[in-house]
Amino acid sequence: MSDHRAKQYARLRQVVRGGILIDELLAEHTSFRIGGPADYFIAPRDQEDLARLIDFSAREGMRYLVIGKGTNILFSDEGFRGAVIDLTASFTRISCSAGQITAEAGVGMAALVKYCIERGYAGLEWLAGIPGTVGGGLRMNAGAHGQEMADLLHSCRILDAMGTLEKRDRKDLNFGYRTVDIPTTDTILEAVFALEEGNPREMDRLRLAYLRERKEKQPLSLPSAGSVFKNPAGQAAGRLIDIAGCKGLRIGDALVSKKHANFIVNCGCASSEDVRRLIEEIVARVEKRFGIRLELELHVEG
């Protein structure tokens, strides 16, 4: 560790009470199993800890990136210069009141669905098959089966880059396809969903049906980051990729899944560069065949 990093770490350690790992491989924290070392990998203990960390980052001119389970991201092989902040260790509380479910950003989708079913609150069963967390799902307005996070959102709480806590109602947020107008410098802390009462047995039947469908259609046996591209209007990205002759295409250990063409899987030791080159090839072939330029759903960092 350089003298500068050693001094910075000492200052950081005085500010943050949560866990701090130095030069932690991001491959260990992403579903793609790809990514070099982060200068710091930090798990804040609570909201105050997170606010102090964001303030420290601003004063130090240090980049930071908040992640959940790392299910929709491709990190560079060179890693991340700055702090990667993990909310899955401490921001995991769920509560309910008068038909409203409040879930912190680090809550996994499966855990949220299970909680709702146990208490008879219906509407989020389709989330069961989506990996990731509430914060990440809201950030990208995750969706499946014709539904998306925005549909049942009541409000959310956010910590902005200045450390100010804000509540934002659904009507004040501009949602789009796999997007919401929350700046990347703002950190989603929790989401509140307005749900109706349902039959737990029927809800669990739906949950299992969604999980079975996902298992049948998606390549779950190898590391991936989920859907790579957004669906163009009126089209399915996977179908376009398949027809363009990309299914089974491989560069290094990165492979276009033979089960679902909108998935790139890591067959062993795929590098970020392998995936990037494969993405470029897919985009070029689809554009040449259909005149459509695919847009990434996958977040590429670095």
Side-chain angles (χ1 to χ4, degrees), residues 251-269:
I251 295 179
D253 270 348
L255 171 75
V256 178
S257 170
K258 297 179 182 179
K259 192 171 188 178
H260 192 313
N262 199 19
F263 280 65
I264 292 176
V265 295
N266 182 351
C267 295
C269 297

Side-chain angles (χ1 to χ4, degrees), residues 17-56:
R17 292 177 290 118
I20 304 174
L21 299 175
I22 300 173
D23 293 333
E24 177 73 357
L25 282 178
L26 293 168
E28 298 294 324
H29 301 278
T30 63
S31 60
F32 232 151
R33 296 294 180 258
I34 296 172
D39 288 345
Y40 307 108
F41 189 87
I42 304 174
R45 187 174 297 180
D46 51 31
Q47 183 181 308
E48 291 182 3
D49 214 19
L50 175 61
R52 286 193 297 269
L53 173 55
I54 290 174
D55 178 67
F56 175 88

Side-chain angles (χ1 to χ4, degrees), residues 110-136:
L112 174 60
V113 173
K114 182 174 182 290
Y115 181 95
C116 292
I117 290 175
E118 289 175 347
R119 289 157 181 79
Y121 288 105
L124 295 177
E125 297 83 359
W126 58 274
L127 282 173
I130 297 181
T133 59
V134 168

Side-chain angles (χ1 to χ4, degrees), residues 188-251:
I188 298 168
L189 297 178
E190 67 179 26
V192 181
F193 300 95
L195 307 177
E196 297 182 354
E197 292 185 5
N199 182 314
R201 181 172 296 180
E202 174 62 17
M203 291 159 61
D204 197 47
R205 186 192 67 78
L206 282 174
R207 178 187 70 87
L208 292 173
Y210 288 135
L211 289 175
R212 280 195 301 270
E213 182 177 348
R214 180 170 181 263
K215 185 176 181 180
E216 290 170 1
K217 295 182 177 181
Q218 297 180 9
L220 304 182
S221 61
L222 291 171
S224 79
S227 296
V228 176
F229 299 99
K230 298 178 182 179
N231 289 323
Q235 300 278 0
R239 177 178 174 273
L240 299 178
I241 296 166
D242 188 3
I243 295 174
C246 298
K247 186 177 279 189
L249 189 63
R250 179 169 181 164
I251 295 179

